[in-house]
Amino acid sequence: MGRRVSGSSESRFSAYVEGLVGVIGHADRAQPLRDYCTGLIMPGERKSVEPMAAVTAPARVAAQHQSLLHFVGEGHWSDEQVLAKVRKMVLPRIGQHGPIEAWIIDDTSFPKKGRHSVGVARQYCGRLGKEDNCQVAVSLSIANHHASLPVAYRLYLPQEWTNDSERLRKAGV
């Protein structure tokens, strides 16, 4: 009650994604970015490109899968510039609800079946509550009582990765 909404959630999402288009480079990456972001917020347990392709383009799943794989795998944009743009767009909205009150450092784990994704190793996986095959990322977020915003994000590389220069080279690290 009494809450002002500036446009529908769809139009606000579209404006948000359009704001990111300028920092990802070529205009031909705009539609895959839209599709990828849409896939991230759609229902579904797995957020890999295969199920995202099925949700975002059910009539042409194979082509969409290839498009999303290319977008993610050949993403030659700057993560720092993308995060800076997100901060520029989102921080003023968070600030409307009060000042930043906390900086939060946290780790996030992603269970994985294989061993070829960068950083995957048998290590503690908080999501599973035990040691298992996973990737781990460390993030820095800022927050107030209304919302939080990740402002920095790095993939953790276990020692078995950092000590294997050939593996790092193959993975493009």
Side-chain angles (χ1 to χ4, degrees):
M1 307 284 292
R3 182 176 158 199
R4 284 186 1 196
V5 177
S6 57
S8 69
S9 57
E10 292 87 1
S11 65
R12 287 180 290 138
F13 175 73
S14 182
Y16 174 79
V17 174
E18 286 307 311
L20 297 178
V21 168
V23 294
I24 63 163
H26 297 268
D28 61 345
R29 293 184 188 145
Q31 189 58 49
L33 173 67
R34 287 183 201 99
D35 293 340
Y36 187 75
C37 290
T38 300
L40 288 174
I41 64 169
M42 295 298 286
E45 187 175 315
R46 292 188 60 225
K47 297 300 179 179
S48 61
V49 294
E50 188 173 357
M52 289 167 68
V55 169
T56 59
R60 48 181 216 78
V61 174
Q64 181 73 336
H65 181 248
Q66 186 63 32
S67 173
L68 291 173
L69 273 178
H70 181 75
F71 174 73
V72 172
E74 300 298 321
H76 298 291
W77 56 81
S78 164
D79 294 342
E80 289 80 16
Q81 288 179 356
V82 171
L83 283 171
K85 182 64 174 183
V86 168
R87 278 192 307 273
K88 185 177 180 182
M89 292 188 301
V90 177
L91 196 52
R93 296 290 300 254
I94 292 174
Q96 291 173 348
H97 300 276
I100 297 302
E101 300 171 9
W103 289 37
I104 304 161
I105 299 172
D106 196 15
D107 64 287
T108 304
S109 55
F110 309 95
K112 294 287 188 175
K113 298 287 185 203
R115 297 182 36 82
H116 298 293
S117 296
V118 176
V120 170
R122 187 161 180 80
Q123 56 193 325
Y124 181 75
C125 182
R127 184 166 172 196
L128 300 175
K130 63 180 182 177
E131 202 172 283
D132 206 342
N133 237 26
C134 68
Q135 285 176 310
V136 176
V138 179
S139 63
L140 170 65
S141 297
I142 53 178
N144 63 16
H145 284 299
H146 178 73
S148 66
L149 176 67
V151 295
Y153 187 88
R154 291 284 187 270
L155 184 65
Y156 169 76
L157 291 179
Q159 197 168 19
E160 69 184 70
W161 272 84
T162 58
N163 289 342
D164 188 342
S165 58
E166 179 61 21
R167 189 179 201 185
L168 293 172
R169 186 193 62 72
K170 279 184 182 178
V173 176

